[in-house]
Amino acid sequence: MSSNIRLPKICLHCEGEFIAKTTVTKYCSDRCAKRAYKARKRKEKIEESKNVTMAVIEQPLTDIQVREFLSVADTCKLFNISRTTIWRLIKLEKLKTAKLGSRVIIRKEDLQKLFI
């Protein structure tokens, strides 16, 4: 049995007026429905990509915060300061370091004392 309902509506995609034959119709045509679907899927992929990127960016910070001893590069990431600033603090002897081979290690307690 067919419906005799005729409702004036506005398409959610192209925002054009159309006459709907059901109460749940959202789009004026199949073309607009497909384009809206693609736009929705594109937006979901972008959000998913942002979430994955943020997880990758924040993961090393949580690993760094747990460690007792930090390298110069880890200290840069943790405190968001440049390598030059860290080396300047080391040269001025405001920051104590230890050397393991060619690697410079900084104790996290010394970094926290620096800000007190």
Side-chain angles (χ1 to χ4, degrees):
M1 182 140 88
S2 65
S3 174
N4 291 328
I5 298 174
R6 302 283 188 248
L7 297 172
K9 286 196 166 193
I10 296 177
C11 179
L12 295 180
H13 181 70
C14 69
E15 298 179 356
E17 284 189 38
F18 70 100
I19 303 296
K21 294 181 181 178
T22 65
T23 57
V24 294
T25 305
K26 296 179 183 179
Y27 305 106
C28 62
S29 64
D30 186 50
R31 183 178 181 187
C32 279
K34 287 178 181 178
R35 287 182 178 182
Y37 174 79
K38 285 184 179 183
R40 189 170 57 247
K41 287 299 180 181
R42 190 178 309 118
K43 188 183 279 189
E44 287 174 5
K45 284 182 182 180
I46 290 170
E47 283 298 318
E48 183 181 338
S49 175
K50 284 181 184 178
N51 292 339
V52 169
T53 303
M54 290 305 295
V56 169
I57 290 171
E58 292 175 358
Q59 181 63 30
L61 285 180
T62 56
D63 293 342
I64 292 171
Q65 290 171 346
V66 175
R67 293 190 215 156
E68 179 76 24
F69 298 97
L70 303 171
S71 67
V72 174
D74 292 341
T75 307
C76 291
K77 289 179 189 174
L78 187 61
F79 291 101
N80 198 21
I81 54 178
S82 70
R83 294 177 65 88
T84 309
T85 304
I86 293 172
W87 286 110
R88 188 180 314 119
L89 292 171
I90 292 170
K91 187 176 179 181
L92 294 173
E93 296 180 359
K94 291 185 177 183
L95 194 57
K96 295 180 184 178
T97 61
K99 285 196 91 169
L100 293 173
S102 62
R103 223 174 140 183
V104 177
I105 303 296
I106 304 167
R107 195 166 52 167
K108 191 186 281 186
E109 290 177 17
D110 294 336
L111 288 166
Q112 290 172 348
K113 287 179 185 176
L114 183 68
F115 294 108
I116 295 176

